[in-house]
Amino acid sequence: MIQHVVVWKFKESTEDLQNQFVEGLKGLVGQIDGIRSLHVGRNENPNETYDVSLVMDSLLNPTDLEETPELKELKEKMKELKNSRLKSASSYDYD
């Protein structure tokens, strides 16, 4: 099992697109075989520098996950959030 932890920082005034992105992330469960659990949340701490975080348990390694059509489509939507960026990403193998 691999746990993926990802955080994003978004451009200001993109709340509608951010909401679509978050809902798209939540929708990946059941669309991509191998995802066992997925949690997405918005940052509630104003002292932090990220807006959205994702924690996902998966049977897929990061490379295989990136190649799924569903994730590719979601990444295309991310491009609409101009000046937004992936803040950090880590993947951990665990039993």
Side-chain angles (χ1 to χ4, degrees):
M1 187 78 66
I2 298 174
Q3 186 169 71
H4 307 272
V5 179
V6 186
V7 295
W8 291 270
K9 176 71 179 164
F10 295 117
K11 177 182 170 185
E12 304 249 346
S13 303
T14 58
E15 286 78 17
D16 288 341
L17 289 172
Q18 290 177 37
N19 290 335
Q20 291 175 29
F21 183 70
V22 167
E23 291 306 311
L25 287 171
K26 290 177 182 178
L28 293 176
V29 173
Q31 290 185 19
I32 298 176
D33 289 336
I35 293 179
R36 296 295 180 236
S37 68
L38 183 143
H39 305 279
V40 179
R42 290 193 173 272
N43 179 28
E44 297 295 329
N45 182 347
N47 296 322
E48 295 292 339
T49 61
Y50 65 90
D51 295 313
V52 171
S53 63
L54 167 127
V55 177
M56 175 175 54
D57 291 330
S58 165
L59 297 174
L60 301 172
N61 67 49
T63 303
D64 291 340
L65 188 60
E66 290 282 327
E67 293 300 315
T68 61
E70 297 84 359
L71 196 55
K72 284 183 177 182
E73 180 181 332
L74 194 55
K75 287 173 73 175
E76 279 299 312
K77 286 184 180 180
M78 180 69 176
K79 289 180 183 178
E80 296 177 33
L81 293 167
K82 292 180 174 68
N83 296 329
S84 299
R85 62 192 169 104
L86 173 67
K87 183 80 172 156
S88 177
S90 300
S91 296
Y92 305 94
D93 189 7
Y94 72 96
D95 296 322

